Amino acid sequence: MTQTALAGANASGNETDSATVSADAPAKRPVRARPAAKPHGQWKVDGTAPLNPNETWKQEDGGLSVRERIETIYADGGFDSIEKTDLHGRFRWWGLYTQRKQGIDGGKTATLEPHELEDKYFMLRVRIDGGSLTTEQLRVIGQISTDFGRDTADLTDRQNVQLHWVRVEDVPEIWNRLEAAGLSTTEACGDVPRVILGSPVAGIAKDEIIDPTPLIKEVSARFIGDPELANLPRKFKTAITGHPSQDVVHEINDFALVGVIHPELGVGYDLWVGGGLSTNPRLAERLGVFVSPEVAAEVWLGVTSIFRDYGYRRMRTKARLKFLLADWGPAKFRQILEDEYLGHKLPDGDAAPKPTSPGDHIGVHEQKDGKFFIGVTPTVGRVSGTILTALADALEAHGSFRLRTTPHQKLVILDVPKEQVEPLITVLDGLGLSARPSLFRRSTIACTGIEYCKLAIVNTKDTAATAISELETRLADLVDTKVLTQPIALNINGCPNSCARIQTADIGLKGMMLPTDDGGTAPGFQVHLGGGLATDNRVEAGLGRTIRGLKVTAAELPDYVERVVRQYVGARTDGETFAEFAHRADEELLK
């Protein structure tokens, strides 16, 4: 019986009962039928009829179809010829977002319409699965940047490279160059399986448990661009690592595999599902299964298909996999995966042990073949086409022809002969890529910010660069005397959406406009403290703490960070990390 029918039956019963009581008895209030719960838009439960305009256009004409119109219509007609649903919807399936119009104050972000915020140029995201690049591919990206993107390039915390100032007229030629080099922008954005994060040291690290490279290549080749998986409720993020540092931020991805050794079945993966941040952060959960390499691609397909078929499509604010997992729980999710999508049970499995080393791979490390890899950091991911091209030349001149992007806005240079390590580091320093960065440069990341993003409220890249420079000077005494030896992660985000992972940083900063004494506003941040993912000094991931009223302006940021770091150094217990301190300290110590 339906919920409405049950309510109706109860109402009838109450009416019958009321006729048998004394006339002096108080009248019973009628029982009203509860309104039927609105459908979530789950295809396997509610049918596939679209419940909002976004779902309508995705069904009428999927995002992948727009490429032909870009090549045959829009590249000739220019920006003004682009149909609006293509512009604000389907273009994302090919890695294209309109960028923010220059000069618009952050206070206007929430008051202007999207068309008032956007410029007639695009951000173009180059998809780099596993972060794997050759020097020739790097050179192609660098040349595209200088030819078509005003020499812009940012390394993202999803192992992609983003370019700006791209005209639609130039997109076909950009695609030609990328695809000739084995790269693409296919499904770099949109309601699709996004780039697959992979260990930056896959296949080369001496302590690697399992090399995920074959699996990443299989998933990418089989499923990226497949129309059957190109209309998901929202974006779907994947991370796969076989390194004991757990270097792919697996706890905040929709699907993640972490390398483990099963006591009976050997090497394979531990499966995590349903992580994500944004304005409703939720850490992924283990399903408690062991995934062998032979079935890993099918398990990925199964989880992705569950999201497609059971994910919530009615409201985009509830359309990520984390909301489905929160309602189902890991046990039901596992049962649906095994029974409906795999057709067999997965063995039980244990979690991977605590990471053994930092997952950013900064510095010089010996590979299993006797050569070396070098992890280097730019300043919060900001590079340029000129730098990328020069980097490709420098690597080849020193015997390296491969590199990796990382989930921390860094680069890892592979296959460097021992005798070339120090000469190459000197050249890299000249390009602004440090193998021995300060604690603050190493640990700070920032999103795109107001410079190009339509959602942003504050400048992030410049704010971060200023903070790093100030902190290197102000806290030099603590570093020089070895009082402070561990990086304190400073993650700076231009809006609430957490592209820079503010809830999982030691100090996470969410951009907003703050009132000033003169009645105006200034760019600033809500502060989150003590978040983090599993690392060599943290067993489990956890979200940061927010303290009511703890906000700082962008101009005050170096002052605040210096103050709270000195409070930590002065009040910490033996061996206590900053995150541990931030969660147990009195609020007054953190302001």
Side-chain angles (χ1 to χ4, degrees), residues 104-398:
I104 298 178
D105 181 77
K108 296 180 180 178
T109 297
T111 62
L112 296 179
E113 295 295 322
H115 70 275
E116 296 177 293
L117 286 166
E118 70 187 6
D119 211 337
K120 294 184 178 183
Y121 297 92
F122 293 90
M123 177 275 287
L124 179 79
R125 183 176 294 162
V126 181
R127 180 184 184 121
I128 308 172
D129 288 310
S132 182
L133 287 169
T134 66
T135 50
E136 184 52 38
Q137 289 172 327
L138 183 68
R139 187 177 287 106
V140 168
I141 295 172
Q143 195 62 52
I144 289 172
S145 168
T146 53
D147 289 349
F148 304 114
R150 300 190 187 181
D151 206 28
T152 58
D154 287 332
L155 306 175
T156 77
D157 58 11
R158 296 290 305 172
Q159 293 184 284
N160 296 308
V161 175
Q162 290 182 178
L163 310 179
H164 298 280
W165 298 107
V166 172
R167 304 184 314 147
V168 71
E169 292 92 335
D170 298 322
V171 170
E173 174 59 20
I174 292 172
W175 282 337
N176 288 340
R177 295 191 190 185
L178 288 173
E179 290 167 3
L183 296 168
S184 82
T185 68
T186 308
E187 297 183 346
C189 313
D191 298 348
V192 293
R194 301 285 186 90
V195 66
I196 303 167
L197 296 188
S199 171
V201 295
I204 64 164
K206 296 170 72 173
D207 54 348
E208 184 175 54
I209 298 167
I210 182 173
D211 182 0
T213 304
L215 174 59
I216 292 172
K217 288 182 176 180
E218 180 182 1
V219 171
S220 180
R222 287 178 59 186
F223 303 122
I224 302 310
D226 180 354
E228 292 296 314
L229 299 174
N231 180 3
L232 302 178
R234 279 199 68 190
K235 57 190 171 185
F236 184 81
K237 296 182 176 181
T238 298
I240 306 174
T241 183
H243 194 263
S245 66
Q246 300 175 22
D247 49 7
V248 293
V249 296
H250 62 278
E251 304 100 326
I252 55 172
N253 281 264
D254 297 280
F255 174 99
L257 294 174
V258 177
V260 293
I261 301 176
H262 192 282
E264 298 172 356
L265 302 173
V267 172
Y269 298 100
D270 183 32
L271 173 60
W272 295 64
V273 171
L277 295 179
S278 191
T279 54
N280 291 285
R282 193 175 196 279
L283 296 174
E285 295 189 61
R286 297 181 57 247
L287 293 195
V289 300
F290 174 79
V291 178
S292 68
E294 294 76 22
V295 303
E298 298 307 319
V299 171
W300 182 91
L301 177 60
V303 174
T304 310
S305 299
I306 287 176
F307 183 43
R308 177 194 63 200
D309 299 341
Y310 284 104
Y312 301 155
R313 292 176 181 263
R314 182 172 66 87
M315 297 174 59
R316 286 185 66 77
T317 54
K318 300 290 185 182
R320 291 293 299 276
L321 184 62
K322 61 187 176 184
F323 295 102
L324 179 66
L325 181 67
D327 288 345
W328 277 8
K332 179 177 178 179
F333 197 102
R334 175 178 176 176
Q335 178 258 315
I336 296 292
L337 173 63
E338 292 173 335
D339 294 352
E340 296 188 23
Y341 290 87
L342 298 179
H344 61 85
K345 299 295 183 182
L346 293 169
D348 291 340
D350 295 328
K354 176 185 173 182
T356 57
S357 59
D360 61 5
H361 303 297
I362 293 300
V364 179
H365 308 268
E366 188 173 8
Q367 299 178 182
K368 62 185 180 183
D369 64 358
K371 293 183 179 180
F372 289 80
F373 67 86
I374 306 172
V376 299
T377 178
T379 301
V380 292
R382 176 57 53 85
V383 284
S384 67
T386 299
I387 289 173
L388 296 182
T389 302
L391 176 60
D393 294 340
L395 297 191
E396 291 176 355
H398 292 81

Side-chain angles (χ1 to χ4, degrees), residues 441-475:
R441 180 168 170 180
R442 176 173 182 170
S443 58
T444 301
I445 68 173
C447 72
T448 301
I450 200 171
E451 189 174 4
Y452 299 116
C453 179
K454 293 176 295 182
L455 302 178
I457 301 166
V458 302
N459 183 297
T460 55
K461 297 289 190 182
D462 293 334
T463 299
T466 298
I468 291 168
S469 179
E470 286 285 321
L471 293 170
E472 286 173 341
T473 299
R474 296 184 185 202
L475 296 174

Side-chain angles (χ1 to χ4, degrees), residues 31-108:
V31 179
R32 289 186 172 88
R34 293 182 180 178
K38 290 184 178 179
H40 286 302
Q42 297 170 282
W43 281 0
K44 272 204 169 187
V45 176
D46 306 309
T48 59
L51 299 179
N52 62 52
N54 199 76
E55 289 297 311
T56 298
W57 68 251
K58 286 198 294 179
Q59 285 198 29
E60 289 175 348
D61 187 18
L64 294 174
S65 69
V66 79
R67 173 160 179 159
E68 182 179 3
R69 292 192 288 280
I70 292 173
E71 293 177 322
T72 62
I73 300 173
Y74 303 142
D76 291 333
F79 186 90
D80 292 334
S81 71
I82 304 171
E83 189 272 330
K84 297 307 178 187
T85 306
D86 283 348
L87 179 64
H88 298 123
R90 298 182 186 93
F91 267 49
R92 299 178 184 184
W93 270 242
W94 292 95
L96 293 159
Y97 281 99
T98 51
Q99 72 181 39
R100 187 186 187 95
K101 191 177 294 183
Q102 300 295 291
I104 298 178
D105 181 77
K108 296 180 180 178

Side-chain angles (χ1 to χ4, degrees), residues 453-520:
C453 179
K454 293 176 295 182
L455 302 178
I457 301 166
V458 302
N459 183 297
T460 55
K461 297 289 190 182
D462 293 334
T463 299
T466 298
I468 291 168
S469 179
E470 286 285 321
L471 293 170
E472 286 173 341
T473 299
R474 296 184 185 202
L475 296 174
D477 60 315
L478 300 183
V479 176
D480 292 344
T481 57
K482 307 296 183 182
V483 173
L484 186 65
T485 59
Q486 293 295 319
I488 295 176
L490 186 67
N491 292 17
I492 302 178
N493 212 77
C495 78
N497 286 326
S498 201
C499 295
R501 310 196 292 256
I502 53 176
Q503 299 98 333
T504 58
D506 289 309
I507 303 174
L509 301 159
K510 178 175 70 178
M512 57 177 51
M513 298 302 291
L514 298 178
T516 57
D517 293 339
D518 61 2

